[in-house]
Amino acid sequence: MAKQIKIFDTTLRDGEQSPGCSMNLSEKIQMAKQIEKMKVDVIEAGFAIASKGDFESVSEIARNIKESRVASLSRALKKDIDCAWDAVKHARLPRIHTFIATSDIHMKYKLKMKPEDVMAQAVEMVKYAKAYCEDIEFSAEDATRSDAEFLYRIITKVIDAGATVVNIPDTVGYTTPDEYFKLITGIRENVPNIHKVDISVHCHNDLGMAVANTLAAARAGATQLECTINGIGERAGNAALEEVVMALNTRKDIYGAECKVDTTQIMRSSSLLTSITGVKVQPNKAIVGANAFAHESGIHQHGMLQEKSTYEIMTPESIGLNKNKMVLGKHSGRHAFEDKLKDMGYELTKEELEKAFEKFKALADKKKTIFDKDIEAIIAEDFATEVSEAYQLESFIINSGNAITSTATIALRHNGEILEEVAAGDGPVDASFNAIEKIIGKKLNLHDYTIHSVTSGKDAQGEAGVKLSHKERVYKGKGLSTDILEASIRAYINCVNKMEYDNALGDSETA
């Protein structure tokens, strides 16, 4: 019988910490529900003590998730553990995940602690967490650069203190598969009580070996693998969940292991994350890239026509990949739209459904062919606009050309009043943004602006993304329209509304 491997998804914690991948509360809950549909064993919902927003999102995810375990990260400090428990205590299956650094370089320069003091604190904090929760994961931060003998000792002691999972992270992406295999093997052979816990691994991709290292650890006896969807994460990212899972699934002859992940939900999860964050995967990305199942070479095409297994080691259907097709039309009713959303994996409230349906009908009047991705974009935009709309687009008029200075007249509705301003700029988008700034009376710093088509065709929706800052706070906005200028304006207004919401709350965290 194949050994069972647990999958620990940290997309909402480590993944969300990567630049450009922050999510609001609605987006996190939607993402968490989709991760749960994949049937991962553990969802790390966040770092509860990091901010008020992080605490709230961990707490809400804990309330909403029923099948997967929900974990919150915490340093090996009482205040962190208290906060982590307060956030995850609502979960049906809660876990506290506490960590402390164990490498000489981290203990000396970051913690400024002696090894014996680090060991004592780790043991004390595991015991402290155990008083709250049965399921405790302990991570030896920077384990792959730690002294092996010290690792054996601290792991032995935290297991005696009550840890149920021991994580051996490659925090800085430094190790190689052979080294990692030997490290996990050494832990299994030299920690007398290791049989009482799951051995977990958490690999970063700084040298491009996160997936290879994770799989090497699985061969060496690790029973929990920590990863993120699309491999997002700090610096170069984490081990990609889809690659780890499909490697286990495709090469059972090598790894002799299996996990309970529903692989048909992989593509859906990848697409949802991309839609929420706006961070695209490279076309040649393994498993979920646009070219992963594309065959252009004549030799490859000939082989595929004769027998798919000649050049395809897994099927598109196994990861839930389906071709775009027209799904609904302008005459489709609310029930048909709702059924389609359920087929696509969305669970919306009555209010959210009504809002999405109105946008769908408006789109159907402009666009002859509506694809799944069009609907995904509508839903993603709604979750991106979680905050109340202090400013709403009333109208816009653009004058632009290569022989005139671009100008924009923008009218916004605010507190029942129509506010209108005209501004010039270096192109129609710049002019529009300048007009909005005149209306709100603030000068904002634009960090990033992107626009792309959701689907093919001249009538495709344009999805705009904007990242701007004001008083050291960074905000992300998203806009959607068949008119790319309107999409751009809506994205900027979305940022402004998040800023206004933040100011109203007086919250000091970034959006």
Side-chain angles (χ1 to χ4, degrees):
M1 181 179 175
K3 66 180 180 182
Q4 293 294 309
I5 294 283
K6 295 174 183 175
I7 298 298
F8 176 112
D9 182 276
T10 185
T11 301
L12 296 170
R13 200 277 302 170
D14 202 329
E16 204 231 357
Q17 290 174 197
S18 57
C21 292
S22 61
M23 310 176 205
N24 64 36
L25 179 59
S26 292
E27 291 167 340
K28 285 183 179 180
I29 293 173
Q30 184 71 8
M31 195 71 238
K33 287 180 178 179
Q34 177 56 34
I35 294 170
E36 184 180 34
K37 285 180 183 176
M38 278 202 299
K39 300 182 180 178
V40 303
D41 297 274
V42 185
I43 297 174
E44 188 165 51
F47 197 171
I49 203 168
S51 71
K52 188 189 301 182
D54 276 84
F55 178 87
E56 183 182 5
S57 64
V58 174
S59 183
E60 285 303 308
I61 290 168
R63 287 185 172 94
N64 278 274
I65 297 303
K66 303 303 179 187
E67 300 302 322
S68 302
R69 290 188 176 276
V70 178
S72 177
L73 187 67
S74 69
R75 293 167 297 183
L77 299 171
K78 287 184 178 180
K79 63 178 182 178
D80 279 38
I81 292 169
D82 291 342
C83 189
W85 173 246
D86 283 343
V88 299
K89 65 185 180 183
H90 310 287
R92 190 175 75 86
L93 299 168
R95 173 181 291 184
I96 296 174
H97 180 191
T98 190
F99 72 94
I100 195 167
T102 56
S103 66
D104 290 341
I105 190 169
H106 274 237
M107 289 189 289
K108 180 179 180 179
Y109 293 105
K110 187 180 80 169
L111 298 179
K112 294 179 171 54
M113 294 172 66
K114 294 179 180 179
E116 294 306 315
D117 294 331
V118 168
M119 188 177 301
Q121 184 167 326
V123 170
E124 181 186 357
M125 291 303 100
V126 168
K127 287 181 178 178
Y128 185 78
K130 193 73 172 181
Y132 280 129
C133 181
E134 175 60 31
D135 190 8
I136 307 298
E137 178 169 343
F138 171 78
S139 282
E141 186 186 9
D142 205 23
T144 56
R145 295 194 296 174
S146 300
D147 176 74
E149 293 299 325
F150 180 65
L151 267 183
Y152 302 155
R153 288 169 57 213
I154 196 170
I155 291 170
T156 300
K157 287 182 177 293
V158 296
I159 294 173
D160 284 341
T164 50
V165 181
V166 174
N167 185 32
I168 315 299
D170 184 27
T171 304
V172 293
Y174 180 73
T175 199
T176 66
D178 287 345
E179 286 178 322
Y180 211 34
F181 183 93
K182 291 176 183 177
L183 177 61
I184 301 303
T185 300
I187 289 169
R188 292 184 64 206
E189 293 175 347
N190 292 282
V191 176
N193 52 2
I194 196 67
H195 62 284
K196 296 181 179 180
V197 300
D198 278 315
I199 300 175
S200 185
V201 291
H202 178 110
C203 296
H204 281 264
N205 204 40
D206 297 72
L207 293 176
M209 291 187 279
V211 171
N213 287 333
T214 300
L215 294 170
R219 287 185 59 229
T223 51
Q224 177 179 282
L225 309 180
E226 304 192 6
C227 33
T228 62
I229 297 165
N230 294 344
I232 66 169
E234 294 214 57
R235 304 184 312 279
N238 290 47
L241 179 147
E242 61 276 5
E243 296 177 26
V244 169
V245 168
M246 292 310 293
L248 293 176
N249 193 55
T250 305
R251 296 308 308 271
K252 287 187 174 71
D253 57 320
I254 296 295
Y255 300 108
E258 58 186 28
C259 62
K260 67 178 187 180
V261 169
D262 179 357
T263 65
T264 65
Q265 291 293 328
I266 284 176
M267 200 66 208
R268 168 82 189 102
S269 302
S270 173
S271 297
L272 180 60
L273 182 64
T274 294
S275 180
I276 287 173
T277 64
V279 178
K280 308 298 179 185
V281 298
Q282 65 200 61
N284 61 324
K285 165 78 169 65
I287 315 300
V288 296
N291 296 343
F293 292 93
H295 302 274
E296 188 170 327
S297 162
I299 295 174
H300 285 212
Q301 290 174 346
H302 177 73
M304 285 287 293
L305 289 171
Q306 303 303 313
E307 169 55 50
K308 287 188 176 182
S309 63
T310 53
Y311 287 102
E312 212 168 69
I313 61 172
M314 66 194 89
T315 66
E317 292 77 16
S318 68
I319 64 164
L321 181 63
N322 296 307
K323 292 183 178 179
N324 276 344
K325 57 182 181 296
M326 187 171 70
V327 288
L328 296 170
K330 64 187 296 183
H331 301 296
S332 298
R334 185 176 281 97
H335 290 300
F337 181 70
E338 185 176 5
D339 287 343
K340 180 60 187 176
L341 289 178
K342 288 179 180 178
D343 288 342
M344 294 172 69
Y346 289 108
E347 296 178 12
L348 304 185
T349 64
K350 185 177 180 180
E351 292 76 16
E352 290 168 342
L353 176 62
E354 185 64 31
K355 185 177 179 181
F357 181 68
E358 288 178 6
K359 289 189 175 184
F360 162 74
K361 294 297 283 186
L363 178 62
D365 285 333
K366 299 177 182 177
K367 203 171 183 292
K368 290 182 179 179
T369 306
I370 296 178
F371 297 94
D372 286 4
K373 284 192 173 182
D374 288 311
I375 297 175
E376 287 177 355
I378 289 172
I379 303 302
E381 185 190 32
D382 284 347
F383 281 110
T385 55
E386 175 198 38
V387 299
S388 59
E389 296 182 278
Y391 291 92
Q392 296 173 301
L393 178 62
E394 183 71 16
S395 65
F396 67 96
I397 300 172
I398 307 292
N399 289 301
S400 184
N402 64 354
I404 62 171
T405 298
S406 295
T407 60
T409 303
I410 305 290
L412 302 182
R413 184 178 293 276
H414 178 62
N415 293 334
E417 185 181 356
I418 302 298
L419 307 177
E420 184 175 278
E421 288 289 351
V422 180
D426 185 15
V429 174
D430 186 44
S432 299
F433 293 174
N434 289 340
I436 295 171
E437 289 181 359
K438 288 178 71 174
I439 291 172
I440 66 173
K442 294 183 177 73
K443 182 63 180 176
L444 309 176
N445 297 311
L446 181 64
H447 293 277
D448 194 25
Y449 165 71
T450 59
I451 187 85
H452 73 276
S453 63
V454 174
T455 56
S456 60
K458 290 192 293 183
D459 61 352
Q461 292 189 97
E463 186 174 69
V466 169
K467 184 188 291 185
L468 56 81
S469 65
H470 181 63
K471 294 183 179 179
E472 299 183 352
R473 301 184 191 180
V474 178
Y475 302 89
K476 289 194 312 176
K478 185 181 293 185
L480 188 69
S481 175
T482 52
D483 182 329
I484 61 172
L485 291 177
E486 181 179 356
S488 304
I489 293 167
R490 289 188 180 280
Y492 209 81
I493 295 170
N494 183 214
C495 272
V496 169
N497 284 331
K498 288 182 177 181
M499 182 180 67
E500 292 296 314
Y501 179 76
D502 200 14
N503 290 340
L505 286 179
D507 194 354
S508 62
E509 64 170 330
T510 55

Coordinates of all heavy atoms in Angstrom, one line a residue, residues 133-197:
C133 N -4.2 23.9 22.3 CA -4.6 23.1 21.1 C -3.8 21.8 21.1 O -2.6 21.7 21.4 CB -4.2 24.0 19.9 SG -4.5 23.3 18.3
E134 N -4.5 20.8 20.6 CA -3.9 19.4 20.5 C -2.8 19.4 19.4 O -1.8 18.8 19.5 CB -4.9 18.4 20.3 CG -4.4 17.0 20.1 CD -3.5 16.5 21.3 OE1 -3.8 16.8 22.4 OE2 -2.6 15.7 21.0
D135 N -3.2 20.0 18.3 CA -2.3 19.9 17.1 C -1.3 21.1 17.0 O -1.7 22.2 16.8 CB -3.2 19.9 15.8 CG -2.5 19.6 14.6 OD1 -1.3 19.2 14.6 OD2 -3.1 19.7 13.5
I136 N -0.1 20.8 17.3 CA 1.0 21.8 17.3 C 2.1 21.4 16.3 O 2.7 20.3 16.4 CB 1.6 21.9 18.7 CG1 0.6 22.1 19.8 CG2 2.7 23.0 18.7 CD1 -0.2 23.4 19.6
E137 N 2.4 22.4 15.4 CA 3.5 22.2 14.5 C 4.7 23.1 14.9 O 4.5 24.3 15.2 CB 3.1 22.5 13.0 CG 4.3 22.4 12.1 CD 3.8 22.5 10.6 OE1 2.6 22.3 10.3 OE2 4.7 22.7 9.7
F138 N 5.8 22.5 15.0 CA 7.0 23.2 15.4 C 8.0 23.3 14.1 O 8.2 22.3 13.5 CB 7.8 22.6 16.5 CG 9.1 23.2 16.8 CD1 9.3 24.5 17.4 CD2 10.3 22.6 16.3 CE1 10.5 25.1 17.6 CE2 11.6 23.2 16.5 CZ 11.7 24.4 17.1
S139 N 8.4 24.5 13.8 CA 9.4 24.7 12.7 C 10.7 25.2 13.2 O 10.8 26.1 14.0 CB 8.8 25.7 11.7 OG 7.8 25.1 10.9
A140 N 11.8 24.5 12.8 CA 13.1 24.9 13.0 C 13.6 25.8 11.9 O 14.1 25.3 10.9 CB 14.0 23.7 13.2
E141 N 13.4 27.1 12.0 CA 13.7 28.0 10.9 C 15.1 27.9 10.5 O 16.0 27.8 11.3 CB 13.4 29.4 11.3 CG 13.5 30.4 10.1 CD 13.3 31.8 10.5 OE1 13.2 32.1 11.8 OE2 13.3 32.7 9.6
D142 N 15.4 27.9 9.2 CA 16.7 27.7 8.6 C 17.4 26.4 9.0 O 18.6 26.3 9.2 CB 17.6 28.9 9.0 CG 18.7 29.2 8.0 OD1 18.6 28.8 6.8 OD2 19.8 29.8 8.4
A143 N 16.5 25.4 9.0 CA 17.0 24.0 9.4 C 18.1 23.5 8.5 O 19.1 22.8 9.0 CB 15.8 23.0 9.4
T144 N 18.1 23.8 7.2 CA 19.1 23.2 6.3 C 20.5 23.8 6.5 O 21.5 23.3 6.0 CB 18.7 23.4 4.9 OG1 18.4 24.7 4.6 CG2 17.4 22.5 4.6
R145 N 20.6 24.9 7.3 CA 21.9 25.5 7.6 C 22.2 25.4 9.1 O 23.1 26.0 9.6 CB 22.0 27.0 7.2 CG 21.9 27.2 5.7 CD 22.3 28.6 5.3 NE 21.4 29.6 5.8 CZ 21.6 30.9 5.7 NH1 22.7 31.4 5.1 NH2 20.7 31.8 6.2
S146 N 21.5 24.5 9.7 CA 21.6 24.3 11.2 C 22.6 23.1 11.4 O 22.7 22.2 10.6 CB 20.3 24.0 11.9 OG 19.4 25.1 11.7
D147 N 23.2 23.1 12.6 CA 24.0 21.9 13.0 C 23.1 20.7 13.2 O 22.1 20.8 13.9 CB 24.7 22.3 14.3 CG 25.5 21.1 14.8 OD1 26.6 20.8 14.2 OD2 25.1 20.5 15.8
A148 N 23.4 19.6 12.6 CA 22.6 18.4 12.6 C 22.4 17.9 14.0 O 21.2 17.6 14.4 CB 23.1 17.3 11.7
E149 N 23.4 17.9 14.8 CA 23.3 17.3 16.2 C 22.4 18.2 17.0 O 21.6 17.7 17.8 CB 24.7 17.2 16.8 CG 25.6 16.2 16.2 CD 25.0 14.8 16.3 OE1 24.4 14.5 17.3 OE2 25.2 14.0 15.3
F150 N 22.5 19.5 16.8 CA 21.6 20.4 17.5 C 20.1 20.2 17.1 O 19.2 20.2 17.9 CB 22.0 21.9 17.3 CG 21.1 22.9 18.0 CD1 21.1 23.0 19.4 CD2 20.3 23.8 17.3 CE1 20.3 23.9 20.0 CE2 19.5 24.7 17.9 CZ 19.5 24.8 19.3
L151 N 19.9 20.0 15.8 CA 18.6 19.7 15.3 C 18.0 18.5 15.9 O 16.8 18.5 16.3 CB 18.6 19.6 13.8 CG 18.3 20.8 12.9 CD1 18.3 20.3 11.4 CD2 17.0 21.5 13.2
Y152 N 18.8 17.4 16.0 CA 18.3 16.2 16.6 C 17.8 16.4 18.0 O 16.8 15.9 18.4 CB 19.4 15.1 16.6 CG 20.0 14.7 15.2 CD1 21.3 14.2 15.2 CD2 19.2 14.9 14.1 CE1 21.8 13.9 13.9 CE2 19.8 14.6 12.8 CZ 21.1 14.1 12.8 OH 21.6 13.7 11.6
R153 N 18.6 17.2 18.8 CA 18.3 17.4 20.2 C 17.0 18.3 20.3 O 16.1 18.0 21.1 CB 19.5 18.1 20.9 CG 20.7 17.2 21.1 CD 21.9 18.0 21.5 NE 21.6 18.8 22.7 CZ 22.2 19.9 23.0 NH1 23.0 20.5 22.1 NH2 21.9 20.6 24.1
I154 N 16.9 19.4 19.6 CA 15.8 20.3 19.7 C 14.5 19.6 19.2 O 13.4 19.7 19.8 CB 16.0 21.6 19.0 CG1 15.0 22.7 19.6 CG2 15.9 21.5 17.5 CD1 15.3 24.1 19.1
I155 N 14.6 18.8 18.2 CA 13.4 18.1 17.7 C 12.9 17.0 18.7 O 11.7 16.9 19.0 CB 13.7 17.4 16.3 CG1 13.9 18.4 15.2 CG2 12.6 16.4 16.0 CD1 14.5 17.9 13.9
T156 N 13.9 16.3 19.3 CA 13.5 15.3 20.3 C 12.8 16.0 21.5 O 11.7 15.5 22.0 CB 14.8 14.7 20.9 OG1 15.5 14.0 19.8 CG2 14.4 13.6 22.0
K157 N 13.3 17.2 21.9 CA 12.7 17.8 23.1 C 11.3 18.5 22.8 O 10.4 18.4 23.6 CB 13.6 18.9 23.6 CG 14.9 18.3 24.3 CD 15.7 19.4 24.8 CE 16.9 18.9 25.6 NZ 16.5 18.2 26.9
V158 N 11.1 19.0 21.6 CA 9.8 19.6 21.3 C 8.8 18.5 21.1 O 7.6 18.7 21.3 CB 9.8 20.6 20.0 CG1 10.7 21.8 20.3 CG2 10.3 19.8 18.8
I159 N 9.2 17.4 20.6 CA 8.2 16.2 20.5 C 7.8 15.8 21.9 O 6.6 15.6 22.1 CB 8.8 15.1 19.7 CG1 9.1 15.4 18.2 CG2 7.9 13.8 19.8 CD1 9.8 14.4 17.4
D160 N 8.7 15.7 22.8 CA 8.4 15.4 24.2 C 7.5 16.5 24.8 O 6.6 16.2 25.7 CB 9.7 15.2 25.0 CG 10.4 13.9 24.8 OD1 9.8 13.0 24.2 OD2 11.6 13.9 25.1
A161 N 7.6 17.7 24.3 CA 6.8 18.8 24.9 C 5.4 18.8 24.3 O 4.6 19.6 24.8 CB 7.5 20.1 24.6
G162 N 5.2 18.0 23.2 CA 3.8 18.0 22.7 C 3.6 18.3 21.2 O 2.5 18.2 20.7
A163 N 4.7 18.5 20.5 CA 4.6 18.8 19.1 C 4.0 17.6 18.4 O 4.4 16.4 18.7 CB 5.9 19.2 18.5
T164 N 3.1 17.8 17.4 CA 2.6 16.7 16.6 C 3.1 16.7 15.2 O 3.0 15.7 14.5 CB 1.0 16.8 16.5 OG1 0.7 18.1 16.1 CG2 0.4 16.5 17.9
V165 N 3.7 17.8 14.8 CA 4.4 17.9 13.5 C 5.7 18.7 13.7 O 5.7 19.7 14.4 CB 3.5 18.7 12.5 CG1 4.2 18.8 11.1 CG2 2.1 18.1 12.3
V166 N 6.7 18.2 13.1 CA 8.0 18.9 13.1 C 8.4 19.2 11.7 O 8.5 18.4 10.8 CB 9.1 18.0 13.8 CG1 10.5 18.7 13.7 CG2 8.8 17.7 15.2
N167 N 8.6 20.5 11.5 CA 8.9 21.0 10.1 C 10.4 21.3 10.0 O 11.0 22.0 10.9 CB 8.1 22.3 9.9 CG 8.2 22.8 8.4 OD1 8.4 22.0 7.5 ND2 8.1 24.1 8.3
I168 N 11.0 20.9 8.9 CA 12.4 21.1 8.6 C 12.5 22.0 7.4 O 12.7 21.5 6.2 CB 13.1 19.7 8.4 CG1 12.6 18.7 9.4 CG2 14.6 19.9 8.3 CD1 13.0 19.0 10.8
P169 N 12.4 23.3 7.5 CA 12.3 24.2 6.4 C 13.7 24.5 5.8 O 14.7 24.6 6.5 CB 11.7 25.4 6.9 CG 11.9 25.4 8.4 CD 12.1 24.0 8.8
D170 N 13.7 24.6 4.4 CA 14.8 25.1 3.7 C 14.5 26.6 3.5 O 14.1 27.0 2.4 CB 15.1 24.4 2.4 CG 16.3 24.9 1.7 OD1 17.2 25.4 2.3 OD2 16.3 24.8 0.4
T171 N 14.6 27.4 4.5 CA 14.1 28.8 4.6 C 14.7 29.7 3.5 O 13.9 30.5 3.0 CB 14.4 29.4 6.0 OG1 13.8 28.5 7.0 CG2 13.8 30.8 6.1
V172 N 15.9 29.5 3.2 CA 16.5 30.4 2.2 C 16.8 29.7 0.9 O 17.6 30.3 0.0 CB 17.8 31.0 2.8 CG1 17.5 32.0 3.9 CG2 18.8 30.0 3.2
G173 N 16.2 28.6 0.7 CA 16.4 27.9 -0.6 C 17.9 27.5 -0.9 O 18.3 27.6 -2.0
Y174 N 18.6 27.0 0.1 CA 20.0 26.8 0.0 C 20.4 25.4 -0.3 O 21.4 25.1 -0.9 CB 20.6 27.2 1.4 CG 22.1 27.1 1.5 CD1 23.0 27.9 0.8 CD2 22.7 26.1 2.2 CE1 24.4 27.8 0.9 CE2 24.1 25.9 2.3 CZ 24.9 26.8 1.6 OH 26.3 26.6 1.7
T175 N 19.6 24.4 0.1 CA 20.0 23.0 0.1 C 19.8 22.4 -1.3 O 19.3 23.1 -2.3 CB 19.3 22.2 1.1 OG1 20.0 21.0 1.3 CG2 17.8 21.9 0.6
T176 N 20.3 21.2 -1.5 CA 20.2 20.4 -2.7 C 19.4 19.1 -2.4 O 19.4 18.7 -1.3 CB 21.5 20.1 -3.4 OG1 22.2 19.2 -2.5 CG2 22.4 21.4 -3.6
P177 N 18.9 18.5 -3.4 CA 18.1 17.2 -3.2 C 18.9 16.2 -2.4 O 18.4 15.6 -1.5 CB 17.7 16.8 -4.6 CG 17.6 18.0 -5.4 CD 18.7 18.9 -4.9
D178 N 20.2 15.9 -2.8 CA 20.9 14.9 -2.1 C 21.2 15.3 -0.6 O 21.0 14.5 0.3 CB 22.3 14.8 -2.7 CG 22.2 14.0 -4.1 OD1 21.1 13.4 -4.3 OD2 23.2 14.0 -4.8
E179 N 21.5 16.6 -0.3 CA 21.7 17.0 1.0 C 20.4 16.9 1.8 O 20.4 16.5 3.0 CB 22.1 18.5 1.0 CG 23.5 18.8 0.6 CD 23.9 20.3 0.6 OE1 23.0 21.1 0.2 OE2 25.0 20.6 1.0
Y180 N 19.3 17.3 1.2 CA 18.0 17.3 2.0 C 17.6 15.8 2.3 O 17.1 15.5 3.4 CB 17.0 18.0 1.1 CG 15.9 18.7 1.9 CD1 16.1 19.3 3.1 CD2 14.6 18.8 1.4 CE1 15.2 20.0 3.8 CE2 13.6 19.5 2.0 CZ 13.9 20.1 3.3 OH 12.9 20.7 3.9
F181 N 17.8 14.9 1.3 CA 17.5 13.5 1.5 C 18.3 13.0 2.8 O 17.8 12.3 3.6 CB 17.9 12.7 0.3 CG 17.5 11.2 0.4 CD1 16.3 10.8 0.0 CD2 18.4 10.3 1.0 CE1 16.0 9.4 0.1 CE2 18.1 9.0 1.1 CZ 16.9 8.5 0.6
K182 N 19.6 13.4 2.8 CA 20.5 12.9 3.9 C 20.0 13.6 5.2 O 20.0 12.9 6.3 CB 21.9 13.3 3.7 CG 22.5 12.5 2.5 CD 24.0 13.0 2.2 CE 24.6 12.2 1.0 NZ 25.9 12.7 0.7
L183 N 19.6 14.8 5.2 CA 19.1 15.5 6.4 C 17.9 14.8 7.0 O 17.8 14.5 8.2 CB 18.9 17.0 6.2 CG 18.3 17.8 7.3 CD1 19.3 17.8 8.5 CD2 18.0 19.2 6.9
I184 N 16.9 14.6 6.2 CA 15.7 13.9 6.6 C 15.9 12.5 7.1 O 15.4 12.1 8.1 CB 14.6 14.0 5.5 CG1 14.3 15.4 5.1 CG2 13.3 13.3 6.0 CD1 13.8 16.3 6.2
T185 N 16.8 11.8 6.4 CA 17.2 10.5 6.8 C 17.9 10.5 8.1 O 17.6 9.7 9.0 CB 18.1 9.8 5.7 OG1 17.4 9.7 4.5 CG2 18.5 8.4 6.2
G186 N 18.8 11.5 8.3 CA 19.5 11.6 9.6 C 18.5 11.9 10.8 O 18.7 11.3 11.9
I187 N 17.5 12.7 10.5 CA 16.6 13.0 11.6 C 15.8 11.7 11.9 O 15.5 11.4 13.1 CB 15.6 14.1 11.1 CG1 16.4 15.5 11.1 CG2 14.4 14.2 12.0 CD1 15.6 16.6 10.4
R188 N 15.4 11.0 10.9 CA 14.6 9.7 11.2 C 15.5 8.7 12.0 O 14.9 8.0 12.8 CB 14.2 9.1 9.9 CG 13.1 9.9 9.1 CD 12.6 9.2 7.9 NE 12.0 8.0 8.2 CZ 11.9 6.9 7.4 NH1 12.5 6.9 6.2 NH2 11.2 5.8 7.8
E189 N 16.8 8.7 11.7 CA 17.6 7.7 12.4 C 18.2 8.2 13.7 O 18.6 7.3 14.5 CB 18.8 7.4 11.4 CG 18.4 6.7 10.1 CD 19.6 6.5 9.2 OE1 20.7 7.2 9.4 OE2 19.4 5.8 8.2
N190 N 18.1 9.5 14.0 CA 18.8 10.0 15.2 C 17.9 10.6 16.2 O 18.3 11.1 17.3 CB 19.9 10.9 14.8 CG 21.1 10.3 14.1 OD1 21.9 9.6 14.8 ND2 21.1 10.4 12.8
V191 N 16.6 10.8 15.9 CA 15.6 11.3 16.8 C 14.8 10.2 17.3 O 13.9 9.6 16.6 CB 14.7 12.4 16.1 CG1 13.7 12.9 17.1 CG2 15.6 13.6 15.7
P192 N 15.0 9.7 18.5 CA 14.3 8.5 19.0 C 12.8 8.5 19.0 O 12.2 7.4 18.9 CB 14.9 8.3 20.4 CG 15.3 9.7 20.8 CD 15.8 10.3 19.6
N193 N 12.2 9.7 19.2 CA 10.7 9.7 19.2 C 10.1 10.3 18.0 O 8.9 10.7 17.9 CB 10.3 10.6 20.4 CG 11.0 11.9 20.5 OD1 11.7 12.3 19.6 ND2 10.7 12.7 21.5
I194 N 10.8 10.3 16.9 CA 10.4 10.9 15.6 C 9.1 10.1 15.1 O 8.3 10.7 14.3 CB 11.5 10.9 14.5 CG1 11.1 11.9 13.4 CG2 11.8 9.5 14.0 CD1 11.1 13.3 13.8
H195 N 9.0 8.9 15.4 CA 7.8 8.1 14.9 C 6.5 8.6 15.5 O 5.4 8.3 14.9 CB 8.0 6.6 15.4 CG 8.0 6.4 16.9 ND1 9.1 6.7 17.6 CD2 7.0 6.0 17.7 CE1 8.8 6.5 18.9 NE2 7.6 6.0 19.0
K196 N 6.5 9.5 16.5 CA 5.3 10.0 17.0 C 4.7 11.2 16.3 O 3.6 11.6 16.5 CB 5.6 10.5 18.5 CG 6.0 9.4 19.4 CD 6.2 9.9 20.8 CE 6.6 8.8 21.8 NZ 6.8 9.4 23.2
V197 N 5.5 11.7 15.3 CA 5.0 13.0 14.6 C 5.1 12.8 13.1 O 5.8 11.9 12.6 CB 5.9 14.2 15.1 CG1 5.8 14.4 16.6 CG2 7.4 14.0 14.7

